[in-house]
Amino acid sequence: MENSSTNLSSLPEEESQNGETAPQSDSKLPSAFSSKPDRPPIQTSSQKYGPLDWKDYFDQEDDVRIPDSDNVFHIYKAGSEGPVVLCLHGGGYSGLSFALSASQIKERARVVALDLRGHGKSSTENDLDLSIETICNDVVAVVKTMYGDSPPAIVMVGHSMGGALAVHIAAKKVLPSLAGMVVVDVVEGTALASLIHMQKILSNRMQHFSSIDKAIEWSIKGGSLRNIDSARVSIPSTLIYDDARKCYTHRARLEETEQYWRGWYEGLSEKFLSSPVPKLLLLAGTDRLDRTLTIGQMQGKFQMVVVRHTGHAIQEDVPDEFANLILTFISRNKIGPRGVEIPGLRRPLK
């Protein structure tokens, strides 16, 4: 959907359901795709659109099993020191959407990129329940399961739907160690206005791919992503193999979740402005600011950066610049494991 940096209809559901790395078997407990049909193994390819391994960017993957439920959330982790940069992807993407930027952020902070419900390798009791309440509870449960009652300083970074999710979580004040929030290319006004086009956008996109390479090529040539390397890492995990059709299709069934879309974005601007933590809004174009945020920005209530020459998926299109913006935000706000500045990061001169 995010075909143009000036067309906000891409906003809502991370339109280009670009697939990401195909599921990989886990020799331990079964992962999200354990109940899915077996897929042909990914072939090592030297071709332009061949898949790239997530291991070149993240240090490890893991399954977070939520107690007293059948919900299993897949995560990718990188880095060993500093605050946790908790990455929440948009609708139709996966945690690997942050792969290229994670490989740089991990030099100064820890990165945890989560496959949300109904996406990537995560598996839940109801993959179609994408209500804002449910997915908020999911993220909080993952943090609780991973860190118990003493979580480290957390900076939530959310793209599109994931950005809306971050705002709702911050507004609920359910993460006591939340130290900062970065929202990537989602604004209430433009997102709500684009919802009427969403079903058409979803139905018009290519639905089936003969190979993962073809899906990667489609994401680039269709304009949903502009960085080939990022697409080669992220797209496979947004796909699932259709054994009946002998082809790949989109893992996230976004077209079946329309009842929840409006709940993602309603009230977003006020919630964003009222969140008590430092805030950064990254946009692909100034046309996306609504009136409430324009006033808030003029009043200095949050920092805003317009990232030029990029599409909707800023973190994928310009991962170097994105990583630098995240680390600068952490440094400027002196966010660290105990609220102290991270060693090695210098505060920018004012």
Side-chain angles (χ1 to χ4, degrees):
M1 336 204 302
E2 51 222 63
N3 17 39
S4 154
S5 61
T6 58
N7 183 349
L8 236 289
S9 37
S10 52
L11 218 46
E13 286 50 84
E14 284 4 1
E15 27 294 84
S16 66
Q17 289 39 56
N18 309 335
E20 316 195 337
T21 65
Q24 296 158 10
S25 60
D26 192 328
S27 59
K28 301 177 294 184
L29 294 172
S31 186
F33 281 97
S34 57
S35 61
K36 309 295 182 185
D38 290 337
R39 318 158 67 157
I42 296 178
Q43 300 296 321
T44 300
S45 172
S46 59
Q47 298 178 358
K48 182 177 181 180
Y49 299 107
L52 293 177
D53 198 323
W54 63 264
K55 295 185 180 73
D56 292 333
Y57 306 95
F58 286 99
D59 299 333
Q60 66 181 104
E61 64 176 357
D62 201 359
D63 284 324
V64 178
R65 300 171 183 276
I66 307 304
D68 304 318
S69 78
D70 292 328
N71 298 336
V72 181
F73 293 95
H74 200 74
I75 61 172
Y76 299 90
K77 298 192 289 186
S80 58
E81 297 181 350
V84 169
V85 177
L86 180 61
C87 299
L88 308 175
H89 62 78
Y93 294 81
S94 83
L96 291 180
S97 178
F98 297 91
L100 269 63
S101 55
S103 67
Q104 299 178 59
I105 295 173
K106 71 178 184 180
E107 299 302 320
R108 293 288 183 268
R110 287 173 282 176
V111 180
V112 174
L114 168 69
D115 284 346
L116 297 173
R117 175 181 293 251
H119 293 74
K121 293 184 182 180
S122 289
S123 176
T124 66
E125 297 162 343
N126 182 0
D127 280 354
L128 294 179
D129 181 5
L130 295 186
S131 66
I132 193 63
E133 294 80 9
T134 295
I135 55 180
C136 280
N137 290 339
D138 287 344
V139 174
V140 173
V142 168
V143 172
K144 174 77 171 178
T145 303
M146 290 180 67
Y147 302 112
D149 295 325
S150 302
I154 292 175
V155 177
M156 278 194 299
V157 178
H159 171 231
S160 200
M161 179 192 78
L165 173 58
V167 171
H168 282 281
I169 292 173
K172 292 174 178 290
K173 298 182 175 64
V174 287
L175 290 181
S177 66
L178 183 63
M181 177 169 59
V182 181
V183 173
V184 184
D185 212 43
V186 58
V187 169
E188 177 182 353
T190 44
L192 288 174
S194 71
L195 290 182
I196 59 173
H197 308 294
M198 210 41 51
Q199 283 289 6
K200 183 176 181 180
I201 290 171
L202 290 172
S203 62
N204 286 345
R205 62 182 174 157
M206 188 174 291
Q207 301 294 329
H208 302 97
F209 307 94
S210 59
S211 68
I212 291 177
D213 296 45
K214 289 295 184 182
I216 294 170
E217 181 178 2
W218 167 78
S219 72
I220 294 296
K221 291 186 174 180
S224 60
L225 292 181
R226 303 184 183 185
N227 185 311
I228 293 179
D229 284 346
S230 187
R232 293 170 69 189
V233 180
S234 68
I235 293 303
S237 64
T238 64
L239 304 174
I240 190 170
Y241 189 70
D242 186 330
D243 197 48
R245 293 175 178 262
K246 305 300 180 185
C247 65
Y248 292 89
T249 190
H250 304 289
R251 155 76 167 110
R253 294 150 59 189
L254 293 174
E255 65 281 355
E256 299 178 47
T257 65
E258 182 176 7
Q259 61 183 308
Y260 305 119
W261 297 351
R262 183 164 292 275
W264 298 345
Y265 305 115
E266 285 182 332
L268 203 61
S269 293
E270 289 294 348
K271 284 183 170 66
F272 176 75
L273 293 176
S274 63
S275 297
V277 298
K279 299 174 286 290
L280 169 62
L281 177 63
L282 301 181
L283 296 177
T286 53
D287 59 307
R288 307 194 179 199
L289 268 191
D290 58 22
R291 183 173 182 273
T292 301
L293 287 185
T294 299
I295 295 173
Q297 203 270 332
M298 294 174 65
Q299 294 174 337
K301 293 185 176 179
F302 63 94
Q303 179 190 2
M304 183 184 77
V305 175
V306 177
V307 185
R308 307 290 181 181
H309 312 299
T310 180
H312 180 45
I314 297 173
Q315 75 280 6
E316 298 212 45
D317 292 348
V318 288
D320 294 357
E321 184 174 356
F322 181 81
N324 183 63
L325 287 166
I326 299 300
L327 290 176
T328 299
F329 173 78
I330 290 173
S331 177
R332 175 180 291 117
N333 293 287
K334 305 182 76 169
I335 299 170
R338 296 174 182 80
V340 297
E341 192 163 3
I342 303 170
L345 273 183
R346 298 180 60 186
R347 242 184 135 180
L349 298 176
K350 294 184 178 180

